[in-house]
Amino acid sequence: MGRGELPPGHASAEVTWVLERCEELRRDTDGYFDAWATGSLDPSALVKGWSVQRAADALTARGLTDFCLTAGGDVVSRGSRQGGLPWRIGIQHPFDRGALAAVVHGTGLAVATSGTYERGEHIVDPHTRTHPAGLLSVTVCGPDLGTADAYATAAFAMGRKAADWTLTLDGYEAMTVLDDERVYFTPGFPLADSAEESP
């Protein structure tokens, strides 16, 4: 099966949607998000977030208003936590598993992080077929987890260009951690105030 081709037989509506969305994201990210980056089809950088987002949408459709779902470090929150306070979501520190790099907050927020500290060097720059250098992690926040996950993957694949590229995102904010531990935030990144109530 080649790029843009559907699997043999009758592909489900979900498979068709995923493949079409992957192609849209490839165009939107100048090719840095590419489900074919490794030479074979792997849409997992979209599908993991998309599936959690669908679960959140299903819960909302059943009347749930206040909840937080997490899957492998990617998070979708809806409504608020106890007391009407915004959800606080910790972002894993890339070096210290016992520490947080940052805490974000919001009442309807999707948060996705791409890096090497959980799965090793699994992200490939589709243009060079090599592992990107210069970054420790990229976290993207916004309304849709599938898109946030794909954007975080694309940004990480860009290497040190990531921080500048995330400034161009519409409706999504980002935190980029370079390998020298410098941290860059887009202007609207929902960083929690340290004076707020702890989780």
Side-chain angles (χ1 to χ4, degrees):
M1 184 171 67
R3 181 188 298 279
E5 296 178 4
L6 295 176
H10 299 288
S12 69
E14 288 84 2
V15 170
T16 300
W17 185 91
V18 164
L19 293 176
E20 290 175 349
R21 182 62 179 145
C22 283
E23 184 60 20
E24 289 174 0
L25 288 162
R26 186 186 66 80
R27 293 193 299 267
D28 291 347
T29 62
D30 297 323
Y32 281 98
F33 175 86
D34 191 341
W36 295 89
T38 60
S40 59
L41 180 63
D42 179 8
S44 58
L46 168 67
V47 169
K48 184 176 80 167
W50 171 70
S51 61
V52 178
Q53 184 71 47
R54 290 189 69 190
D57 292 344
L59 291 175
T60 299
R62 290 183 172 269
L64 275 74
T65 58
D66 303 299
F67 60 87
C68 191
L69 298 179
T70 182
D74 292 349
V75 177
V76 174
S77 68
R78 295 282 172 84
S80 57
R81 58 190 173 111
Q82 190 171 8
L85 297 170
W87 291 102
R88 291 170 54 89
I89 300 164
I91 300 169
Q92 175 70 52
H93 193 286
F95 284 149
D96 184 353
R97 292 189 62 83
L100 297 175
V103 176
V104 299
H105 67 159
T107 56
L109 192 63
V111 183
T113 299
S114 287
T116 59
Y117 48 88
E118 286 289 342
R119 296 173 54 196
E121 292 188 332
H122 66 288
I123 298 172
V124 174
D125 176 346
H127 301 291
T128 64
R129 304 293 183 188
T130 61
H131 297 293
L135 292 184
L136 295 177
S137 67
V138 178
T139 297
V140 175
C141 304
D144 178 79
L145 186 58
T147 301
D149 205 357
Y151 282 165
T153 300
F156 195 88
M158 294 177 189
R160 285 182 173 266
K161 296 184 290 186
D164 288 336
W165 180 77
T166 58
L167 290 169
T168 70
L169 296 177
D170 185 15
Y172 290 81
E173 304 292 338
M175 178 183 79
T176 303
V177 183
L178 302 187
D179 59 358
D180 59 9
E181 297 190 62
R182 283 182 292 164
V183 182
Y184 293 91
F185 298 97
T186 56
F189 190 77
L191 197 62
D193 189 322
S194 59
E196 290 181 2
E197 179 188 337
S198 299

